[in-house]
């Protein structure tokens, strides 16, 4: 096992990783920017290294400085968390060259799944259901138009390098195709330096359902059930839960088996997520694979009793998975609400600042993942997510009640948060009934 790990991240996920390391008796090295001198992860780690100015590009995204900090402190591995360099194959290669273990999949797998058009082809060939659409990448709108006619409108044009909604356009009729294809392509060229596109049938009012995967270096691949992440706004998830109320046991079994098949086709290693779209007929289709630990991993931890960060570290150290598929059980229901420093009344404008007063709930089945403390000043340079409230109860209704109770106790003074907005969602009859799609927020809280 590793003796020392460097955590190339900040905020609640850095704290989460430090805690897992401490339980495993692994020493930790935090890195921080000049804006993060007072951050909690710096105080909790065994060692801390300043890696540059506030701008992420000069600190948390600066590969050379991260590698130097790893070498200087004698850490043997880097945990990237999520965001920042977590899905950067160049960084993985750099780690490899420097004899540092990257806690995540190989550079090749990151590239194979990062190219969404290639990922689609890989899945088609493995017999994983994908949305009807193109097999080969599309570069010219004329070529795309012909394919769109055979797929049938509405279609969705997507950038191969995309994700998170960038370089994506819905097209409802032939006359609209050219301009939408070209604007998606130009956006992709600008954002990713890649003009490779693909086209799919547009699934109307879908649900977003994803399956957690663990794969070790010994060929063991297991799935830990699904998460329903349909409650999101502008491609930012807000509430995630497990299991999904939208599928039955038969669909769940098929979904899990499909996810394992997908991970094997990708030759995956470490923790990963297979994302699916679920349509109104109950059919699901592969959408993308995420090659990192995700923000919402705690809901899977709550229903399985596993520690996904510890599993990630053990996998990277060459150990076998701690459990087999047969030993995995899903117990009860878990929900996560992301708490952001933002103002829902002002179009969710970010609201950094000093935490003047802080009280966070606890109690039976309530978990808080955060790096907040009273008096802490939230810097304006990074993501606005400041805490995750996760609850676990015997069933969905009890979990919703527990979440409302927990959110009702939260006190964060000095900044605006989305806590009340989250409470409103949890009180909405359609949410309570499980009658939601990825357009729930837009349709109900506009
Ligand atoms: C789709 C889709 C409908 N049909 N693909 C959005 C982000 C990107 N990862 C893929 N996305 C979508 N792809 C087809 N063929 C609808 C979406 C989509 C969506 C997906 C998941 C969660 C929220 C979403 C919000 C709007 C659109």
């Amino acid at each position: 096992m590793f003796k020392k790990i460097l955590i190339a991240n900040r905020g609640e996920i850095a704290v989460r990783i430090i805690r897992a390391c401490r339980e495993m008796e692994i020493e930790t090295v935090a890195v921080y920017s000049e804006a993060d001198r007072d951050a909690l992860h710096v105080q909790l780690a065994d060692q801390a290294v300043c890696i540059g100015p506030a701008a992420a590009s000069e600190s948390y995204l600066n590969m050379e400085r991260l590698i130097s900090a790893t070498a200087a402190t004698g850490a043997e591995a880097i945990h990237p968390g999520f965001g920042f360099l977590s899905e950067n194959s160049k960084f993985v290669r750099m780690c490899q060259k420097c004899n540092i273990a990257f806690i995540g999949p190989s550079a090749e797998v990151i590239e194979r799944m990062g190219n969404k058009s290639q990922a689609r082809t890989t899945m088609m060939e493995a017999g994983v259901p994908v949305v009807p659409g193109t097999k080969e990448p599309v570069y010219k709108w004329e070529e795309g138009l012909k394919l769109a006619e055979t797929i049938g409108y509405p279609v969705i044009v997507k950038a191969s390098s995309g994700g998170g909604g960038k370089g994506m356009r819905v097209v409802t009729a032939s006359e609209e195709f050219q301009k939408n294809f070209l604007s998606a392509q130009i956006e992709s060229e600008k954002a990713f330096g890649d003009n490779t596109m693909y086209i799919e049938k547009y699934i109307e009012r879908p649900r977003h359902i994803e399956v957690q995967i663990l794969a070790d270096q010994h060929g063991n691949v297991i799935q830990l059930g699904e998460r329903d992440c349909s409650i999101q706004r502008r491609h930012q998830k807000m509430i995630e839960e497990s299991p999904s109320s939208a599928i039955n046991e038969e669909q769940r079994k098929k979904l899990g088996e499909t996810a394992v098949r997908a991970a094997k086709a990708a030759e995956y290693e470490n923790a990963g997520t297979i994302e699916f779209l679920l349509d109104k007929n109950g059919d699901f289709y592969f959408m993308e694979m995420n090659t990192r630990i995700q923000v919402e991993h705690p809901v899977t931890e709550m229903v399985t009793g596993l520690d996904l960060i510890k599993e990630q570290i053990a996998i990277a150290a060459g150990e076998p998975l701690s459990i087999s598929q047969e030993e995995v059980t899903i117990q009860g229901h878990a929900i996560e609400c992301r708490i952001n420093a933002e103002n829902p009344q002002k179009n969710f404008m970010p609201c950094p600042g000093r935490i003047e007063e802080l009280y966070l709930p606890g109690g039976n089945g309530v978990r808080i993942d955060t790096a907040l403390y009273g008096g802490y000043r939230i810097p304006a340079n990074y993501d606005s997510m400041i805490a995750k409230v996760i609850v676990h109860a015997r069933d969905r209704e009890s979990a919703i009640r527990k979440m409302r109770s927990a959110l009702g106790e939260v006190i964060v003074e000095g900044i605006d948060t989305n806590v009340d907005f989250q409470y409103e969602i949890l009180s909405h009859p359609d949410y309570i009934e499980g009658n939601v799609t990825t357009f729930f927020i837009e349709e109900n809280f506009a």
Side-chain angles (χ1 to χ4, degrees):
M1 185 43 66
F2 306 120
K3 287 194 182 68
K4 195 188 269 194
I5 293 176
L6 181 135
I7 297 128
N9 215 303
R10 64 181 303 283
E12 63 84 20
I13 190 62
V15 169
R16 167 76 188 84
I17 297 162
I18 290 166
R19 287 174 176 154
C21 288
R22 187 143 294 143
E23 289 176 40
M24 294 173 87
E25 300 184 311
I26 297 168
E27 285 182 68
T28 53
V29 181
V31 294
Y32 62 97
S33 71
E34 285 165 15
D36 272 342
R37 289 194 183 283
D38 299 324
L40 187 64
H41 74 286
V42 174
Q43 299 172 55
L44 290 185
D46 296 307
Q47 272 178 285
V49 181
C50 183
I51 50 163
S57 59
E58 297 190 57
S59 49
Y60 299 105
L61 288 170
N62 188 314
M63 305 189 204
E64 289 79 11
R65 286 183 190 160
L66 286 161
I67 299 280
S68 301
T70 309
T73 54
E76 307 146 87
I78 295 180
H79 197 307
F82 43 68
F84 296 125
L85 295 171
S86 60
E87 296 180 278
N88 189 308
S89 58
K90 187 174 163 222
F91 183 59
V92 178
R93 290 213 167 83
M94 210 184 268
C95 288
Q96 207 175 358
K97 277 214 183 80
C98 299
N99 220 355
I100 299 164
F102 177 83
I103 301 174
S106 68
E108 291 71 29
V109 173
I110 292 176
E111 280 164 8
R112 198 177 307 134
M113 292 297 111
N115 180 327
K116 316 292 180 199
S117 168
Q118 194 188 341
R120 200 177 133 77
T121 314
T122 303
M123 294 311 160
M124 281 167 88
E125 284 165 2
V128 172
V130 300
V131 187
T134 54
K135 175 122 206 263
E136 303 290 330
V138 183
Y139 299 95
K140 294 195 159 64
W141 73 264
E142 296 92 334
E143 185 193 347
L145 177 61
K146 277 189 210 146
L147 293 160
E149 303 293 320
T150 62
I151 296 164
Y153 295 98
V155 298
I156 183 166
V157 176
K158 294 181 176 181
S160 279
S161 298
K166 258 229 177 90
M168 205 174 84
R169 294 288 184 286
V170 177
V171 187
T172 51
S174 320
E175 309 84 74
E176 311 284 313
F177 190 85
Q178 182 183 357
K179 70 164 196 273
N180 279 296
F181 182 93
L182 290 175
S183 71
Q185 193 172 38
I186 288 163
E187 194 173 301
S188 173
E189 180 70 57
K190 257 197 190 142
F192 317 111
D194 179 10
N195 67 356
T196 314
M197 312 301 287
Y198 63 106
I199 305 169
E200 289 177 349
K201 178 87 187 166
Y202 181 60
I203 312 276
E204 289 177 77
R205 297 168 56 82
R207 286 173 81 125
H208 171 126
I209 300 198
E210 58 184 35
V211 178
Q212 178 69 52
I213 290 288
L214 286 178
D216 67 18
Q217 295 180 19
H218 308 276
N220 303 304
V221 182
I222 64 170
Q223 55 93 5
L224 304 177
E226 79 282 2
R227 295 185 289 256
D228 192 321
C229 308
S230 300
I231 305 292
Q232 55 86 47
R233 185 187 162 271
R234 300 203 180 164
H235 307 294
Q236 287 287 94
K237 293 168 187 163
M238 292 188 70
I239 300 177
E240 305 96 347
E241 54 186 281
S242 183
S244 170
S245 61
I247 59 173
N248 59 34
E249 277 309 316
E250 191 188 334
Q251 290 167 298
R252 179 166 292 114
K253 185 160 176 281
K254 205 166 133 205
L255 190 66
E257 286 167 359
T258 303
V260 169
R261 180 194 292 247
K264 284 182 174 164
E267 297 182 73
Y268 202 72
E269 183 195 309
N270 215 285
T273 299
I274 319 282
E275 294 186 344
F276 296 91
L277 287 174
L278 180 74
D279 71 12
K280 58 178 184 303
N281 304 321
D283 291 321
F284 56 80
Y285 307 93
F286 170 84
M287 186 164 52
E288 292 176 14
M289 175 161 202
N290 296 324
T291 56
R292 59 169 189 277
I293 192 73
Q294 288 188 269
V295 173
E296 59 271 27
H297 77 274
V299 297
T300 298
E301 294 186 323
M302 300 296 260
V303 294
T304 60
L306 287 167
D307 184 319
L308 294 183
I309 306 294
K310 285 189 192 167
E311 294 294 334
Q312 282 196 292
I313 295 168
I315 290 166
E319 291 186 4
L321 297 179
S322 73
I323 50 155
S324 66
Q325 187 68 64
E326 294 68 41
E327 292 169 309
V328 175
T329 58
I330 306 296
Q331 283 210 31
H333 195 97
I335 304 178
E336 171 179 281
C337 284
R338 299 189 187 192
I339 308 306
N340 299 330
E342 65 187 15
N343 188 334
Q345 254 73 56
K346 293 182 184 158
N347 198 28
F348 298 85
M349 205 197 334
C351 182
R354 188 172 182 273
I355 306 291
E356 301 296 345
E357 193 86 48
L358 182 68
Y359 175 80
L360 294 171
N364 186 13
V366 179
R367 164 176 169 182
I368 309 282
D369 280 20
T370 188
L372 288 187
Y373 59 85
Y376 174 62
R377 184 177 292 281
I378 299 162
N381 311 77
Y382 313 105
D383 195 89
S384 63
M385 190 181 74
I386 52 171
K388 304 186 301 207
V389 179
I390 309 109
V391 299
H392 184 219
R394 60 184 307 136
D395 54 32
R396 187 168 185 271
E397 193 195 339
S398 319
I400 292 171
R401 286 166 185 267
K402 195 182 285 286
M403 181 62 85
R404 280 205 300 259
S405 171
L407 291 177
E409 283 186 38
V410 173
I411 299 173
V412 184
E413 302 277 341
I415 59 159
D416 297 320
T417 74
N418 64 343
V419 172
D420 293 346
F421 188 79
Q422 290 281 21
Y423 192 98
E424 276 188 58
I425 297 174
L426 292 188
S427 311
H428 193 289
D430 285 340
Y431 175 77
I432 293 168
E433 270 188 50
N435 180 23
V436 301
T437 71
T438 57
F439 294 94
F440 179 78
I441 305 282
E442 279 90 339
E443 287 172 358
N444 293 281
F445 297 89

